[in-house]
Amino acid sequence: MSKHFSPDTFHELPSGARVHPQRLIHRDGTIMWKHALWDDNGYVHIPQSQAHEAHIIKTAQRLEELNCWVSQGLEPWEFLVPIVWYTIDHEHKPYTQGYACTLQHTTLPTSLVLETLQPHIQEHEELKEDEGLLYFRRC
């Protein structure tokens, strides 16, 4: 299998960076660009501005930090997975700007994840359970 991707599979971001959906947002992380940019229907939401792109990158970094707290001692494939993240036409403003997402853990129950992460949530952040999933907002 080739380790090279076809150029037409990349998405160009407002900063000029070209990213592939299967690549990690942060090196040695678990979250890929597809988690941030693709919706459930396979539609790709490209950030509308560099600010939105920066929000996505900073949110990914924070999710990776939180994942370290909740996934200690687990296998690499057991981690927090974003379900809804950047969606251009969503009615909830934080989703349209990239600094909020709905997520779940691949193996742990939501209540346990919430209990584990709550002490690590900063003043300007929000983490709550919403219909069996976790809602995280950075600012």
Side-chain angles (χ1 to χ4, degrees):
M1 183 171 153
S2 175
K3 66 178 183 176
H4 302 286
F5 295 113
S6 172
D8 62 336
T9 60
F10 286 79
H11 303 299
E12 187 154 348
L13 302 178
S15 66
R18 293 176 46 85
V19 299
H20 190 276
Q22 301 295 334
R23 294 287 188 195
L24 299 171
I25 297 176
H26 291 284
R27 186 182 199 143
D28 297 328
T30 57
I31 300 172
M32 294 181 249
W33 279 103
K34 72 176 184 175
H35 293 128
L37 304 181
W38 289 5
D39 67 17
D40 289 344
N41 299 318
Y43 183 78
V44 179
H45 298 269
I46 301 298
Q48 301 296 296
S49 68
Q50 280 188 282
H52 293 179
E53 180 182 342
H55 280 312
I56 291 168
I57 292 168
K58 289 176 185 175
T59 301
Q61 180 180 3
R62 186 64 177 126
L63 291 175
E64 297 290 4
E65 291 170 2
L66 294 174
N67 188 51
C68 289
W69 288 108
V70 76
S71 298
Q72 288 180 1
L74 299 178
E75 297 294 336
W77 56 85
E78 298 174 317
F79 61 95
L80 292 170
V81 174
I83 306 298
V84 177
W85 194 339
Y86 182 71
T87 307
I88 296 169
D89 55 357
H90 201 281
E91 62 206 32
H92 187 53
K93 181 182 174 185
Y95 286 133
T96 65
Q97 298 193 2
Y99 61 86
C101 69
T102 300
L103 57 142
Q104 68 183 17
H105 198 276
T106 56
T107 57
L108 299 176
T110 301
S111 58
L112 177 61
V113 174
L114 182 63
E115 181 183 321
T116 304
L117 292 181
Q118 204 62 54
H120 305 286
I121 298 300
Q122 299 172 2
E123 292 177 3
H124 63 280
E125 297 174 335
E126 178 182 3
L127 180 68
K128 64 181 180 179
E129 188 170 349
D130 185 27
E131 298 180 14
L133 299 171
L134 290 171
Y135 171 78
F136 174 74
R137 185 176 49 85
R138 226 177 18 85
C139 48

